[in-house]
Amino acid sequence: MEQGKKDPQTVTPTGARAQPFNICGVRTIALNNVLTRSGAVTELFRTDCSEISIEPRHVILATMNPGAITDWHRHTRQTDHLIAISGNIKLVLWDGRENSETKGQHDIIRLGVLRPVIAVVPPGVWHGLRNESGAIAHYVNVNDVPYDHSDPDNFRLSSEHGKAPVDL
C-alpha cells in the first residue's frame, strides 16, 4: 500500500501562518476577538495600527451567496484590505504583474470570523473569492482609492472564461 505524502507545517502553535506568502506585498494582519458579557467585539480597522499603511478612502460591504465565486479581478491603483464578517471565504491570489519578482506565484488565504484577519491585496495582483459556507457570507473591503463610477479601477477575467490562472 502507498505510504502517502506527509503534510507540511501550515500553522504555528499560535495559529499563525507557518510559511511566508508567495506573492510580494500580500500579507495578513491578525485581528482579535474580545469577549464581552454580551458576546464579542472585533476592531476591524484602526488608522493608528502600525501594520496598516493606507488612508481609508472607500469602504464597501459585499455579500456572497452560498457557494458563490467572484470573477478574477485586479486593480491598478487601489490596495484592498479584505475582512470577512460572516461565513468562510477562500481568497485566491495570483501575481500577474510584469515587473514583479514573484510573477506567476499564487497564494490562498481563508477568511472567517473565528480567526479574523485583514488580507492585504496590493495593486496589480489578480484575486477572486469563493464562499465556502453553506450560507450567505459577508466581507468588508477597505481601500485607499474611492471608487470612480466613470472610470472604474476594475479589470475582470470571468471565472467561466477558462483561462483562470489558478482554480478558485
Side-chain angles (χ1 to χ4, degrees):
M1 175 176 231
E2 182 180 336
Q3 295 296 315
K5 181 180 175 188
K6 184 178 183 317
D7 285 343
Q9 179 182 5
T10 58
V11 296
T12 67
T14 64
R17 185 183 178 102
Q19 304 301 321
F21 288 102
N22 296 318
I23 299 175
C24 184
V26 169
R27 60 194 173 91
T28 57
I29 301 167
L31 300 174
N32 295 313
N33 291 325
V34 178
L35 298 180
T36 66
R37 287 185 305 247
S38 59
V41 172
T42 305
E43 290 182 328
L44 298 182
F45 204 89
R46 291 182 59 107
T47 57
D48 63 349
C49 175
S50 63
E51 295 180 80
I52 295 174
S53 58
I54 68 162
E55 177 184 331
R57 303 281 312 279
H58 189 216
V59 180
I60 65 166
L61 170 64
T63 301
M64 297 183 74
N65 291 326
I69 302 172
T70 67
D71 290 337
W72 278 97
H73 61 284
R74 67 179 173 86
H75 314 287
T76 59
R77 298 182 302 270
Q78 80 184 38
T79 301
D80 286 345
H81 290 68
L82 305 172
I83 309 160
I85 60 170
S86 71
N88 295 308
I89 299 171
K90 177 182 178 183
L91 169 64
V92 182
L93 307 107
W94 182 76
D95 192 352
R97 299 172 293 182
E98 286 301 321
N99 298 321
S100 173
E101 62 189 47
T102 56
K103 185 177 190 302
Q105 295 293 313
H106 77 279
D107 276 305
I108 296 172
I109 300 172
R110 286 199 159 75
L111 306 170
V113 294
L114 294 178
R115 187 160 182 87
V117 298
I118 300 173
V120 179
V121 182
V125 173
W126 288 96
H127 52 291
L129 300 101
R130 173 191 293 268
N131 178 355
E132 295 186 319
S133 307
I136 290 176
H138 299 88
Y139 66 92
V140 171
N141 184 0
V142 180
N143 61 62
D144 53 350
V145 179
Y147 185 79
D148 183 346
H149 295 276
S150 64
D151 184 22
D153 185 25
N154 283 321
F155 297 82
R156 295 190 185 279
L157 175 64
S158 171
S159 57
E160 299 169 4
H161 187 267
K163 292 186 180 179
V166 181
D167 287 336
L168 282 170

